[in-house]
Amino acid sequence: MTDWRAIDAAIAKATGTRFEAETRARAGGGSISAAYRLSGAGEGYFVKLNRADRAEMFAAEAAGLTELGQAVGLRVPQPITHGVASEQAFIALEHIELQRATPAAFARLGEALADMHGIVAARYGWDRDNTIGTSPQANAPHPEWREFWRENRLAAMLDALAPTHPELAREGDALLAVLDRLLAGHTPEASLVHGDLWGGNVAMDANATPVIFDPAVYYGDRETDLAMTELFGGFPPVFFEAYWGAWPMSAGYRHLRRPLYQLYHLLNHARLFGSGYVAPSQRIMRQLVAMA
């Protein structure tokens, strides 16, 4: 049973204002956590619940939202508090009344995302690990992008899949062996990236300001965010026109790095949702090995 009194108290402590929820309404969300909107005394909060052993997942989410909060031109839900109440981990965020993004909001998002990618770090990675969905995501810093993508992304995901899908691990070894050739000469800036920028993590607020949420933050190649926007659809042409207009596409993105970066998410989907994503992953790996 959810200890709502403890969650209300945590919100009150974090905000410095007495809070007791008068209504708690189940909210739509993903398949990972239960979500609720809490309202009381004119205040509203968005609360997600999960198992107690996923408290660190919520802590990393809060840190990621704070990191994305550096960006201008878009809105990121402000984390209020997180922790464990009885047997459940929770995170409380400011509540934003989300709406489906219009084409104009997507154009603003494209420009704002290019601006956000201009926030850079000295090394690839981040100062903490986090999750992509519920899969652990290692962010140990690397000075070289090829090594970061090899070790922290592809190799880590392939190792996790090896017990259930050894065929992916075998083909993955062939890809890792030629990764240096595929990324030779590609030394992108270590940009602040959302990390999981699919259509379900984008909306707009009542003022038509684009909103992004549910991040898997790190500092890496900006093209990883663009590749994810193209993987499952949902982003209209005006978004890409605005983004590439603000920061032009680099040679090699479309035919080489886009599928390489999408592969990470397909492997993660195979890990989380099963064998339906195995064949698409194999197809990309074979194409990339052939290119090398």
Side-chain angles (χ1 to χ4, degrees):
M1 180 177 293
T2 302
D3 189 348
W4 289 113
R5 183 169 297 182
I7 293 173
D8 288 353
I11 293 171
K13 182 178 180 180
T15 60
T17 304
R18 186 174 181 273
F19 178 76
E20 290 185 9
E22 297 166 3
T23 62
R24 300 183 184 94
R26 190 70 184 260
S31 59
I32 294 174
S33 300
Y36 294 83
R37 180 184 176 182
L38 275 56
S39 301
E43 300 294 333
Y45 300 97
F46 183 75
V47 173
K48 294 195 288 188
L49 305 174
N50 214 304
R51 305 193 313 253
D53 62 358
R54 289 185 172 166
E56 182 57 28
M57 178 182 75
F58 285 151
E61 179 180 350
L65 290 169
T66 299
E67 198 81 8
L68 292 179
Q70 301 174 74
V72 297
L74 50 78
R75 189 171 177 187
V76 178
Q78 178 185 355
I80 306 300
T81 187
H82 57 86
V84 176
S86 297
E87 300 299 317
Q88 290 180 299
F90 71 90
I91 184 171
L93 313 172
E94 72 163 316
H95 181 263
I96 301 173
E97 204 66 58
L98 297 177
Q99 303 176 25
R100 182 187 296 272
T102 62
F106 268 113
R108 293 175 66 184
L109 174 63
E111 295 174 350
L113 186 66
D115 186 73
M116 187 186 89
H117 288 162
I119 301 171
V120 298
R123 305 179 80 189
Y124 306 104
W126 197 28
D127 59 5
R128 67 183 301 156
D129 294 340
N130 51 15
T131 57
I132 179 78
T134 55
S135 301
Q137 180 169 264
N139 293 319
H142 279 265
E144 293 188 7
W145 175 243
R146 284 179 293 177
E147 289 305 308
F148 179 86
W149 195 252
R150 183 204 316 278
E151 300 301 326
N152 289 25
R153 293 296 179 264
L154 296 183
M157 197 62 72
L158 289 163
D159 286 348
L161 283 161
T164 52
H165 296 288
E167 70 278 19
L168 283 177
R170 286 193 299 270
E171 298 203 49
D173 286 343
L175 174 60
L176 296 178
V178 299
L179 190 63
D180 283 353
R181 266 181 276 167
L182 291 172
L183 290 178
H186 185 61
T187 56
E189 290 185 296
S191 295
L192 174 60
V193 297
H194 178 282
D196 194 14
L197 196 60
W198 68 291
N201 289 342
V202 172
M204 71 177 191
D205 67 11
N207 297 316
T209 300
V211 184
I212 58 174
F213 43 91
D214 288 348
V217 163
Y218 63 99
Y219 285 83
D221 188 348
R222 68 188 178 107
E223 294 175 348
T224 58
D225 271 349
L226 274 299
M228 184 56 167
T229 65
E230 296 191 75
L231 181 56
F232 297 120
F235 290 75
V238 292
F239 165 79
F240 299 102
E241 292 166 4
Y243 183 92
W244 297 123
W247 194 340
M249 185 186 301
S250 300
Y253 165 73
R254 185 72 68 193
H255 75 283
L256 194 161
R257 294 189 299 277
R258 178 176 62 176
L260 177 64
Y261 297 155
Q262 289 175 342
L263 174 63
Y264 174 63
H265 296 287
L266 290 173
L267 291 172
N268 187 46
H269 275 60
R271 184 176 179 180
L272 295 175
F273 305 120
S275 58
Y277 294 93
V278 171
S281 299
Q282 290 176 306
R283 185 162 54 249
I284 287 179
M285 288 192 285
R286 290 167 187 167
Q287 291 171 349
L288 291 168
V289 170
M291 286 182 196

